[in-house]
Amino acid sequence: MTLNKKNYLLTSLELTLYTLPLSFLIGSLIVNINVLIFIILGFYYLIKNKIKIDINLTNLSLLLFFLFTILSSMMNIDIIGIENFYKSIFLIKYFFLFILIETLIYQRKVNIKILFNIFYFLAFFISLDLCLQFFSGENILGYKPWEGRITGIFEHEAVAGAYLQKVFLFSLISGFLITSKIKNKNIFLFFFISFFIIVFASFIASNRISFLIVISTLIFLIIFYRVFRMRLLAIFIILLPIFYSFYQSDDQINNRYQKFVNKIEKMSFFKIKKVTTGQAGIIVVKKEEPTLPNHGKIFLTSYKSFKDKMFFGNGLKSFRYNCKNYLKEKNTLCSTHSHNYHLEILHDTGIIGFIILSFFVLSLIFKKVKLLFSKELDSSQKIVLSLLLLNLLIELFPLKSTGSIFTTWNGTLLWLSISLINYKNTYESNKKF
């Protein structure tokens, strides 16, 4: 059996998409190479087969956002430098990634269920690797915990918890699609155990916000999704005493989560402190100055810097340069980025860029919510689409700290998540053997 050239090209295109989840485990360079190969093969395939891209207002608004980012970066090139200006041009890859995945899904040329399955098996593998490192001191590659953090296969990058959180719902979709098709008790048991391990691995990875999101997502699913309720409730009930036990007995875990609790306590606007002076026992009530956690200081600094160029923004990756101007002010701190998608977009592209991207996101969400309540989808498709919408809303929740939307690793994973909103539970293979 031999593939004709037409289907060989499609097979190669599919492989670049299906290997994208694996590239996140290897590093940003491989992610970039994978995305570029996918884009080149994708456009070559569309042109060769005369497949048209749907140019609508939603897609045009996304293109406009990236073009405006380039404009803003060019206006601030004296601050951000020529290298970051070139990087702003390279960001157009995310627009190409989105429209290619959208077109390939609508044309039924790729099977997104395979992508979900790969995300699930990688999440399970990473979780087992984290557990191995936690209990034995070394992971499968011989890596030891890095600076007291359980990092697993990521070695010196403490992003394992973030990765598990970002692909958690993709993994759940995989489990749902497989178990709804294959009614087998052993398969149900396997998925139950695997998700148990994934949630536990998220806990020991000690990415506090990521773990909190996973737990919050579990609770949301238990309340609103009857199809998952009993299995996820069982996982939640079993894990609670295990979490408490390790929190009490493991110094590293206790230290990480206790710091998180302390940060929450410091987020109050003021504290009341009672001071007793003199023999008469006079009580003086003093309002202490607010103390922001580090992320709060970064948020405040980002907002102060944003106000300097509110409309057109400061350009790509400008916060690391501008934040130094505010260090003499109270509750300010420098970092490589704003640690919040909304603040980063406001800071780097201004109100105009924020409005353009907001239009794209809201327009996309509106279309999918409308589809969710239509009769075009069956119950299984609606569950998958609603989980994808939930995943997007979690990623865009405005009050949480995040990675940078413009970096290769985090940005690609985010834009891939946005692209998968176009999921349809249909796949027709046109390959001829």
Side-chain angles (χ1 to χ4, degrees):
M1 294 188 296
T2 57
L3 285 169
N4 60 39
K5 291 182 180 179
K6 184 177 180 180
N7 286 287
Y8 180 78
L9 177 60
L10 180 57
T11 301
S12 301
L13 178 60
E14 286 183 280
L15 285 175
T16 59
L17 178 62
Y18 300 151
T19 55
L20 191 54
L22 181 62
S23 67
F24 291 106
L25 277 60
I26 303 173
S28 295
L29 176 62
I30 303 301
V31 173
N32 262 331
I33 293 172
N34 200 327
V35 170
L36 284 176
I37 293 174
F38 175 73
I39 291 172
I40 293 169
L41 289 178
F43 276 107
Y44 180 63
Y45 178 80
L46 296 186
I47 293 169
K48 195 168 184 65
N49 292 275
K50 298 179 181 178
I51 297 174
K52 293 182 179 180
I53 294 172
D54 182 19
I55 304 298
N56 52 53
L57 190 58
T58 302
N59 292 347
L60 286 175
S61 65
L62 181 59
L63 175 60
L64 182 60
F65 168 73
F66 287 116
L67 292 177
F68 187 81
T69 303
I70 295 171
L71 174 63
S72 177
S73 299
M74 184 173 66
M75 293 170 63
N76 294 279
I77 197 169
D78 56 325
I79 297 173
I80 66 173
I82 190 71
E83 182 180 350
N84 285 324
F85 171 66
Y86 288 148
K87 287 181 179 179
S88 72
I89 298 173
F90 193 54
L91 288 177
I92 204 78
K93 66 183 179 182
Y94 294 133
F95 169 71
F96 294 144
L97 180 70
F98 177 83
I99 61 170
L100 276 174
I101 292 178
E102 178 189 59
T103 304
L104 292 170
I105 290 174
Y106 287 172
Q107 294 293 324
R108 303 174 182 178
K109 301 301 180 183
V110 293
N111 189 349
I112 297 302
K113 288 186 284 186
I114 294 177
L115 196 65
F116 292 143
N117 293 340
I118 293 170
F119 269 122
Y120 159 69
F121 284 110
L122 287 177
F124 185 40
F125 165 75
I126 290 170
S127 299
L128 288 174
D129 190 61
L130 290 170
C131 291
L132 179 64
Q133 189 180 67
F134 179 73
F135 288 109
S136 71
E138 291 184 355
N139 82 328
I140 194 172
L141 298 177
Y143 300 154
K144 295 181 179 180
W146 179 252
E147 297 181 344
R149 304 282 297 275
I150 303 300
T151 56
I153 200 169
F154 295 100
E155 194 178 6
H156 297 163
E157 297 288 335
V159 296
Y163 184 86
L164 291 178
Q165 178 259 304
K166 289 177 183 295
V167 305
F168 179 73
L169 286 174
F170 295 159
S171 303
L172 189 66
I173 290 171
S174 171
F176 167 71
L177 293 175
I178 291 175
T179 54
S180 62
K181 186 176 180 180
I182 305 173
K183 304 294 183 180
N184 185 291
K185 290 184 179 179
N186 292 329
I187 292 178
F188 271 99
L189 180 61
F190 175 77
F191 274 101
F192 177 86
I193 295 172
S194 64
F195 278 104
F196 180 93
I197 294 172
I198 289 171
V199 177
F200 177 74
S202 176
F203 171 69
I204 61 176
S206 299
N207 295 95
R208 287 85 52 98
I209 292 295
S210 297
F211 175 66
L212 180 63
I213 292 172
V214 169
I215 291 299
S216 301
T217 304
L218 269 179
I219 295 172
F220 183 88
L221 293 171
I222 290 169
I223 295 172
F224 294 103
Y225 285 78
R226 187 173 60 180
V227 67
F228 303 121
R229 185 168 299 155
M230 297 310 298
R231 280 168 283 176
L232 294 183
L233 182 60
I235 291 174
F236 188 76
I237 291 173
I238 295 171
L239 280 174
L240 275 180
I242 296 175
F243 292 156
Y244 181 76
S245 175
F246 279 105
Y247 175 77
Q248 292 291 333
S249 61
D250 189 278
D251 291 338
Q252 289 291 342
I253 289 179
N254 182 279
N255 183 50
R256 287 287 298 167
Y257 285 101
Q258 187 57 49
K259 284 183 178 179
F260 182 63
V261 173
N262 293 339
K263 285 181 180 180
I264 294 175
E265 291 176 350
K266 290 180 180 180
M267 289 176 69
S268 58
F269 289 100
F270 62 87
K271 295 180 181 179
I272 301 297
K273 185 177 181 180
K274 293 183 179 181
V275 181
T276 303
T277 58
Q279 294 181 352
I282 300 173
I283 297 177
V284 178
V285 179
K286 179 183 178 183
K287 289 185 178 182
E288 293 185 341
E289 292 294 326
T291 303
L292 292 176
N294 287 341
H295 278 117
K297 292 177 181 179
I298 294 172
F299 295 165
L300 181 60
T301 310
S302 182
Y303 174 70
K304 287 175 179 288
S305 182
F306 149 73
K307 289 196 298 180
D308 287 343
K309 295 181 180 180
M310 293 179 61
F311 293 100
F312 291 93
N314 295 275
L316 181 69
K317 297 182 183 293
S318 54
F319 180 69
R320 65 189 66 190
Y321 306 108
N322 293 352
C323 62
K324 298 172 186 176
N325 301 327
Y326 303 91
L327 289 181
K328 292 183 180 180
E329 299 182 25
K330 187 177 294 184
N331 282 324
T332 56
L333 189 65
C334 259
S335 184
T336 54
H337 58 91
S338 300
H339 287 270
N340 178 278
Y341 293 146
H342 302 267
L343 285 173
E344 183 176 26
I345 293 165
L346 279 169
H347 182 275
D348 289 7
T349 67
I351 292 174
I352 297 175
F354 185 81
I355 290 174
I356 295 170
L357 187 59
S358 296
F359 175 83
F360 164 75
V361 172
L362 292 175
S363 176
L364 187 64
I365 291 175
F366 176 77
K367 288 180 180 180
K368 300 310 169 184
V369 170
K370 186 178 179 181
L371 180 61
L372 195 62
F373 288 96
S374 71
K375 295 181 180 180
E376 295 181 38
L377 305 179
D378 59 30
S379 59
S380 176
Q381 291 173 311
K382 288 182 177 181
I383 289 173
V384 173
L385 180 57
S386 65
L387 289 175
L388 290 171
L389 278 167
L390 175 62
N391 183 71
L392 179 58
L393 292 174
I394 289 171
E395 281 299 303
L396 300 181
F397 183 67
L399 300 181
K400 73 183 182 80
S401 60
T402 67
S404 172
I405 195 174
F406 298 125
T407 56
T408 296
W409 193 90
N410 189 77
T412 304
L413 197 48
L414 174 64
W415 286 104
L416 178 62
S417 301
I418 295 173
S419 303
L420 292 177
I421 284 279
N422 295 303
Y423 167 84
K424 283 188 176 181
N425 191 20
T426 52
Y427 177 67
E428 292 178 359
S429 178
N430 294 322
K431 300 174 186 178
K432 297 178 181 178
F433 294 87

